C-alpha cells in the first residue's frame, strides 16, 4: 500500500471516476471491483481500515445455518457459494473448520436440524438449478475450481471426544458434524485493499468524508478532513459510493428527494469474548452451544484461543465505539459454563469485543434478530450509491451489485472479474525461512496472515534481531509486524497495530496492560513514521484509552473498560 503521504498527494485535488467512502470490507470490495473493471478509484477511510464492523465480526465465512430458520434461502445460497469461492481465492486466509452440534443422553435430537443440514449441503453445491446436461459438462470444471466441503454426518461419542476432549464430563451421545469457514476479518479486508491497489486504486485512512460535493444536482466528489493536518481536501469524482456500513445513513447529499433513496439503519450489537485454551478448548473444531430460548452461540478456535459469540440485540448506544455489553458477557459465559461444565468468569477472559451490524430498518417493529441480513443498494437523485447491510462473506457480491449499477448507468461494457482475482498469494509455512528464535507457530501464523508477503516480515526479522522478538511474550506475533504495518499498511497508531494488524488486543488483552508493550510498538512505528521521542511517548500513552474504548479487557480487576 502507498504511504499516507504519497496517497494524499495522489488524491488531493484530483479527479477520479469512482470515490469510495469507507474502508471496511464492503468499500474494499467496491474499490477492487471497480479498479479491476478499469475505473480510476480513490477510497477514503475515516479511521483505520476495517475499524468498524469489519474487525468485529465472528470471523466466519459461512452460509449462516440460522438464516435457514428464517427461510432466507437466497441469502444462504449466495453466501455458501461465496464461501467456496473465498477458499479458492484466498486459501491461506479462509479455511474450513469442522462444526459440531453435540447431543447428550438426556436430550431429544432436534429433528429440524438434520433437515437443515441436508439443505445446507445441497445449497452449497455449485450445481443447484442446472440441468443434468449442464451438470455433466460442468462437473469437471467445478471440481477443478471450487473447493467443496464434505457433506454433514453424524459422528459417535468417540469421535466427538477426539475432536473436543473438553466435552468428556458431559458424556455426549453423538454429534452432527458439518463444515463452515473461518478467517481473520481485518486481514481479509487489507488483502482485498492490496489487490485493489494492484489494479490502480489509491486508498487513504485518517480521511473523514464531511461533505458530498454536488454539481448541477449530481454528486460530483467529496470533501474530507485529513487526520494529521486537519486540512479539508476536495476530490472530484464522477461517481460517489457510500460504503460506510452502520454509518451509511449519516452520509447524505444536500438534497434527498425521497427518504427511500437512503437507508435507515437499525444497529444491532454483537458481543464476543475470548478464552485461553487452557481454560476452555474446543480442539480444532467449533461447537454450537445452546444459549436459551432456542438461541445458539458459537465456541470457535481462533488464533490459538477460544472465541465465544455472539449476541444480537438492538443497540442505541455509541456506534462509533461499541463495547461489549456487561449483560452480554455474562450471557455468553453462562451459556458456555452450562454447556462445558466450567465455571469461567470475567476474570478469565483474554479479550472481548463488540461490533454493530448494519441492519436495514424496514420500519418493521420486529426485533433486529429477525431482520434479514440482505445487502441493499440505494441511489439518490444526485446519483450517489449507498451499499450497506449484508455480511463479511458476501462482500464480493455487494461490490459487484454496486459496480454493475455504475456500469449499467454509463452503458459501459465492463464485466466483473472478482470471481477470478486471487486475494493475495498463498505461502506454505514450510516455504518460509525464519531466523533463529522465530518458531513454527510464528511462521504458520505469518503464512496465514500475510501469505507470500510474510517474507517482508521475515526479512526484517532477519535484518534486526530485536524485530524478531514477540510483541507479547508467549504469543507468536513479531515486532517486525509493527514495522510492516507502518511501512506498507498505513498503520499510524499503537491501536492500529494491536487491534487490527495483529489481533493481540483481542487475544492477549491482560498482557497489554504492561506499558512496555505499547512503548515497544510505538517505538517501532515511530522509527518508520519519523516520530520524535516525545511523540513516541504520547502515542504509547494513548493505548490504554484506546483499549478501554474498545472494551477488550473485561478481566481488568478495577472494572475499567466495561460498558452496559
Ligand atoms: C457481531 C457481528 C458478528 C458478525 N459476524 C459475521 C460473520 O461471522 N460472518 C459474516 O459474513 N458476517 C458477519 N458479520 C457482518 C459483517 O461483519 C458486516 O456485514 C461487515 O463487516 C460490514 O462491512 P462494511 O464495510 O459494510 O462496514 P464497516 O466495516 O463498518 O466499514 C465502514 C467503514 O466506513 C468508515 N466510515 C464511516 N464514516 C465515514 C466517513 N464519513 N468518511 C470515511 N469513512 C467513514 C468507518 O470507519 C468504517 O471503517 C458480523 C457482524 C457483527 C456486528
Amino acid at each position: 500500500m502507498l504511504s499516507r503521504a504519497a496517497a494524499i498527494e495522489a488524491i488531493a485535488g484530483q479527479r477520479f471516476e469512482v470515490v469510495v467512502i469507507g474502508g471496511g470490507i464492503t468499500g474494499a470490495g467496491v474499490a477492487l471491483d471497480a479498479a479491476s473493471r478499469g475505473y480510476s478509484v480513490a477510497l477514503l477511510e475515516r479511521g483505520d481500515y476495517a475499524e468498524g464492523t469489519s474487525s468485529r465480526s465472528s470471523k466466519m465465512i459461512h452460509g449462516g445455518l440460522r438464516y435457514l430458520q428464517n427461510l432466507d434461502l437466497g441469502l444462504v445460497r449466495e453466501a455458501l457459494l461465496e464461501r467456496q469461492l473465498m477458499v479458492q481465492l484466498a486459501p491461506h486466509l479462509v479455511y474450513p473448520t469442522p462444526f459440531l452440534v453435540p447431543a447428550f443422553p438426556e436430550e431429544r435430537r432436534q429433528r429440524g436440524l438434520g433437515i437443515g443440514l441436508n439443505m445446507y449441503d445441497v445449497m452449497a453445491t455449485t450445481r443447484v438449478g442446472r440441468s443434468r446436461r449442464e451438470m455433466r459438462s460442468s462437473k469437471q470444471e467445478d471440481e477443478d475450481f471450487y473447493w467443496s466441503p464434505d457433506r454433514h454426518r453424524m459422528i459417535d461419542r468417540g469421535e466427538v471426544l477426539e475432536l473436543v476432549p473438553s466435552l468428556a464430563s458431559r458424556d455426549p451421545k453423538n454429534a452432527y458434524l458439518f463444515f463452515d469457514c473461518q478467517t481473520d476479518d481485518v486481514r481479509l479486508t487489507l488483502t482485498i485493499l492490496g489487490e485493489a491497489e494492484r489494479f490502480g486504486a489509491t486508498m487513504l485512512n485518517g480521511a473523514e468524508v464531511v461533505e458530498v460535493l454536488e454539481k448541477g444536482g449530481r454528486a460530483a466528489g467529496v470533501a474530507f478532513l485529513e487526520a494529521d493536518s486537519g486540512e479539508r481536501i476536495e476530490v472530484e469524482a464522477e461517481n460517489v459510493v457510500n460504503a460506510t456500513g452502520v454509518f451509511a445513513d449519516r452520509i447524505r447529499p444536500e438534497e434527498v428527494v425521497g427518504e427511500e433513496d437512503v437507508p435507515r439503519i437499525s444497529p444491532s450489537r454483537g458481543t464476543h469474548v475470548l478464552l485461553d485454551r487452557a481454560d476452555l478448548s474446543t480442539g480444532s473444531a467449533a461447537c454450537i452451544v445452546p444459549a436459551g430460548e432456542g438461541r445458539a452461540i458459537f465456541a470457535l478456535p481462533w488464533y490459538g484461543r477460544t472465541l465465544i459469540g455472539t449476541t444480537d440485540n438492538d443497540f442505541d448506544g455509541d456506534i462509533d465505539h461499541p463495547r461489549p455489553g456487561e449483560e452480554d458477557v455474562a450471557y455468553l459465559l453462562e451459556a458456555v459454563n452450562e454447556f462445558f461444565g466450567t465455571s469461567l468468569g470475567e476474570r478469565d477472559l483474554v479479550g472481548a469485543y463488540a461490533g454493530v451490524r448494519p441492519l436495514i430498518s424496514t420500519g418493521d417493529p420486529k426485533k433486529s434478530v429477525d431482520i434479514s441480513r440482505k445487502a441493499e443498494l440505494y441511489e439518490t437523485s444526485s446519483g450517489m450509491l449507498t451499499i450497506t447491510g449484508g455480511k463479511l462473506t458476501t462482500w464480493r457480491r455487494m461490490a459487484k451489485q454496486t459496480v454493475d449499477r455504475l456500469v449499467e448507468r454509463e452503458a459501459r461494457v465492463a464485466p466483473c472479474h472478482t470471481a477470478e482475482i486471487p486475494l493475495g498469494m498463498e505461502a506454505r509455512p514450510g516455504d518460509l525461512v525464519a531466523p533463529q528464535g522465530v518458531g513454527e507457530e510464528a511462521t504458520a501464523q505469518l503464512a496465514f496472515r500475510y501469505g507470500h508477503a510474510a517474507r517482508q516480515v521475515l526479512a526484517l526479522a532477519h535484518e534486526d534481531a530485536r524485530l524478531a522478538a514477540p510483541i507479547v511474550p508467549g504469543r507468536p506475533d513479531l515486532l517486525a509486524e509493527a514495522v510492516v504495518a507502518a511501512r506498507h499498511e498505513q498503520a499510524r497508531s499503537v491501536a492500529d497495530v494491536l487491534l487490527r494488524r495483529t489481533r493481540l488486543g483481542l487475544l492477549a488483552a491482560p498482557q497489554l496492560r504492561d506499558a512496555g508493550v505499547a512503548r515497544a510498538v510505538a517505538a517501532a512505528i515511530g522509527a518508520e513514521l519519523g516520530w520524535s521521542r516525545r511523540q513516541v511517548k504520547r502515542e504509547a500513552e494513548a493505548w490504554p484509552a484506546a483499549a478501554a474504548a474498545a472494551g477488550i479487557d473485561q478481566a481488568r480487576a478495577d472494572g475499567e473498560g466495561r460498558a452496559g
Side-chain angles (χ1 to χ4, degrees), residues 21-27 44-46 48 51-54 56-60 62 207-209 243-245 247 251 270 272 310 355-357 389-393:
I21 315 170
I25 197 143
T26 309
L44 301 167
E45 161 55 45
R46 176 180 68 170
D48 185 24
E51 182 175 319
T53 311
S54 299
R56 299 155 182 271
S57 77
S58 304
K59 289 92 174 78
M60 284 187 289
H62 65 157
E208 180 176 8
V209 170
T244 54
F247 309 98
I251 307 259
H272 296 82
T310 180
V356 188
R357 295 177 184 81
K391 294 166 47 141
L392 193 78
T393 308

Side-chain angles (χ1 to χ4, degrees), residues 18 57 97 108 137 163 195 208 249 422 448 534:
V18 181
S57 77
T97 300
R108 285 189 31 213
S137 61
L163 283 163
E195 291 303 326
E208 180 176 8
D249 52 4
F448 162 67
R534 187 178 296 175

